[in-house]
Amino acid sequence: MIAVFLGPPGSGKGTQAARLAARAGVPAISTGDMLRQAAAAGTPLGLRAKAIMDAGELLPDGVIVDLIRDRIAQPDATKGFLLDGFPRTSGQAEAFEKMLADSGMKVDAVINLMVDEGRLVERMANRGRVEGRTDDNPETIRERLRVYREKTAPLVAWFEKSGTLVNVDGLGEIDEVSRRIDDAVARGGERGSARAAAVRA
Ligand code: AMP
């Protein structure tokens, strides 16, 4: 299974991607986690990423696309993978589509986690306190939401056109949201088979 988690920062993508990954037996790949690890290790990429992350901005598409290309080529991703935090721009989405097409793969489901903005700020501020994320402070949170609206939100319509998008209410208990995601993925799978049957007919 290949699935993408879409949704604003603080919508629970990381938590839910990790849970679905455990159930599906595929890795959850988080570009944010990879960049935070690189920053902690003090690699050149990590140092560059840290400044951009702390400002709430995005790394250049080319850097992120290379990171993903290498990661999904790892042996643990041969049966599929879940993406949390990628793609985040139309350039990344197009590069990803091409990457998949070149290797004969396709996205099974794009899970759009919906949470209203007032709740996001509150969630991220709490997360910053618990996890010590330096980009979970009020000023950076506002910038990350602005960047999300400008660069990432348009991908919802983009994936809708490809027929893979499923909207999931991201508010509520973690277990409840996981159940909604399981249902949505099952529905997405049925739609995918219907499409395949239509193509064969
Ligand atoms: P996240 O943990 O997904 O909220 O990502 C934290 C930060 O990492 C973002 O605010 C960006 O600065 C950077 N980042 C993560 N994923 C991407 C991406 N796909 N494209 C550009 N920057 C990214």
Side-chain angles (χ1 to χ4, degrees):
M1 167 170 51
I2 299 180
V4 173
F5 279 78
L6 214 59
S11 57
K13 294 189 298 295
T15 303
Q16 294 297 340
R19 289 180 141 228
L20 180 57
R23 293 196 293 280
V26 295
I29 298 175
S30 155
T31 42
D33 281 350
M34 290 168 79
L35 296 171
R36 278 184 289 277
Q37 277 159 19
T43 65
L45 167 67
L47 296 177
R48 179 172 175 207
K50 170 119 178 65
I52 296 174
M53 291 165 90
D54 283 348
E57 307 300 334
L58 298 181
L59 275 96
D61 285 349
V63 172
I64 296 289
V65 168
D66 286 349
L67 204 63
I68 286 290
R69 186 179 288 110
D70 289 350
R71 180 61 188 87
I72 67 177
Q74 299 299 310
D76 66 335
T78 48
K79 283 203 204 109
F81 49 86
L82 308 182
L83 293 172
D84 152 28
F86 176 93
R88 245 176 164 102
T89 66
S90 53
Q92 292 178 17
E94 281 160 19
F96 180 53
E97 191 177 52
K98 185 165 183 311
M99 208 186 289
L100 291 185
D102 286 349
S103 38
M105 297 188 284
K106 64 169 190 54
V107 172
D108 298 295
V110 178
I111 297 146
N112 181 33
L113 275 183
M114 300 181 303
V115 176
D116 79 58
E117 203 166 293
R119 303 298 290 270
L120 295 175
V121 177
E122 177 190 310
R123 280 193 186 191
M124 281 190 277
N126 284 331
R127 179 173 71 180
R129 275 191 282 277
V130 175
E131 295 177 15
R133 270 183 66 158
T134 50
D135 59 348
D136 279 344
N137 64 75
E139 197 187 328
T140 310
I141 289 171
R142 269 195 299 276
E143 179 59 11
R144 287 163 61 206
L145 288 171
R146 192 195 65 73
V147 169
Y148 170 78
R149 279 194 299 269
E150 184 187 313
K151 306 255 173 73
T152 311
L155 296 186
V156 173
W158 198 82
F159 280 119
E160 205 155 31
K161 258 186 248 149
S162 70
T164 46
L165 190 86
V166 278
N167 289 308
V168 173
D169 177 2
L171 267 186
E173 294 295 321
I174 291 177
D175 282 341
E176 176 56 32
V177 176
S178 296
R179 264 193 296 277
R180 288 177 202 147
I181 290 172
D182 280 345
D183 289 349
V185 168
R187 284 200 310 275
E190 283 161 22
R191 256 200 339 244
S193 324
R195 261 203 317 277
V199 168
R200 278 195 300 272

